[in-house]
Amino acid sequence: MARVVVDVMLKPEILDPQGQAVANALPRLGVNDVSSVRIGRRIEIEFAAEPDLDRAREIADKLLANPVIEDFTIHVHQDATAEVA
Amino acid sequence: MARVVVDVMLKPEILDPQGQAVANALPRLGVNDVSSVRIGRRIEIEFAAEPDLDRAREIADKLLANPVIEDFTIHVHQDATAEVA
């Protein structure tokens, strides 16, 4: 099964009140070395056959992201990344 | 500036109506080879100094994810990935 991941984030110049709320809560957890938090969306698209980046880009552009305020990046998901639990 | 990315996704056994709605809309765009769409959150945490994965994991666990219904993965953001615009 082939999985394409679309990451949608607010453009840097757009305010992110949700991320700001998390950043403001961090000192209460004893975390003082975080300079900013931004919250966006991660969409995992499973293709029945080969992953199709062009198709995924069309889906992201038309359905998933608002190009006025959001940027998106697309990549094929690799299981063997340096991710940790 | 060091950036840690936390990806929060619903556990596989939890229904995702938002992703299902996107998947159901795809045939109207002429896309018929997508088997599923799951929508989660991507949180970018900028550390003022070194990225701290343990600290990020604590933040994710306490503030960002609901461990009853969500899984999260943490990784340090690398700019030189195979991402495309």
Side-chain angles (χ1 to χ4, degrees):
Chain A
M1 202 122 67
R3 181 179 298 173
V4 174
V5 175
V6 180
D7 290 320
V8 180
M9 299 299 293
L10 286 170
K11 289 178 193 279
E13 65 268 28
I14 305 287
L15 285 177
D16 177 4
Q18 194 185 6
Q20 193 60 46
V22 171
N24 291 344
L26 291 180
R28 276 182 268 141
L29 284 183
V31 179
N32 294 299
D33 54 347
V34 167
S35 54
S36 97
V37 177
R38 307 276 293 173
I39 299 184
R41 294 193 301 289
R42 172 189 167 98
I43 299 107
E44 296 181 352
I45 303 172
E46 302 264 5
F47 283 89
E50 280 301 290
D52 186 338
L53 284 179
D54 290 334
R55 188 50 64 88
R57 187 171 299 116
E58 188 190 339
I59 295 169
D61 203 41
K62 290 189 180 165
L63 274 186
L64 302 176
N66 176 352
V68 176
I69 59 169
E70 292 170 330
D71 289 325
F72 63 88
T73 61
I74 295 174
H75 58 99
V76 177
H77 183 73
Q78 275 120 7
D79 281 322
T81 52
E83 293 182 356
V84 292
Chain B
M1 203 123 64
R3 181 180 297 172
V4 173
V5 176
V6 181
D7 290 320
V8 181
M9 300 297 294
L10 286 170
K11 288 180 193 278
E13 64 269 26
I14 305 286
L15 284 176
D16 177 5
Q18 194 185 6
Q20 194 59 48
V22 170
N24 291 343
L26 291 179
R28 277 182 268 140
L29 284 181
V31 178
N32 294 301
D33 53 349
V34 167
S35 55
S36 97
V37 177
R38 307 277 294 175
I39 299 184
R41 293 193 303 289
R42 172 190 167 95
I43 299 107
E44 295 181 352
I45 303 173
E46 303 262 6
F47 283 88
E50 280 301 291
D52 185 337
L53 283 179
D54 290 334
R55 187 53 62 91
R57 186 172 301 115
E58 189 191 338
I59 296 170
D61 204 41
K62 290 190 179 164
L63 274 185
L64 302 175
N66 175 352
V68 177
I69 58 169
E70 291 170 330
D71 288 324
F72 63 88
T73 62
I74 295 175
H75 58 100
V76 177
H77 182 72
Q78 276 120 5
D79 282 323
T81 51
E83 293 183 357
V84 292

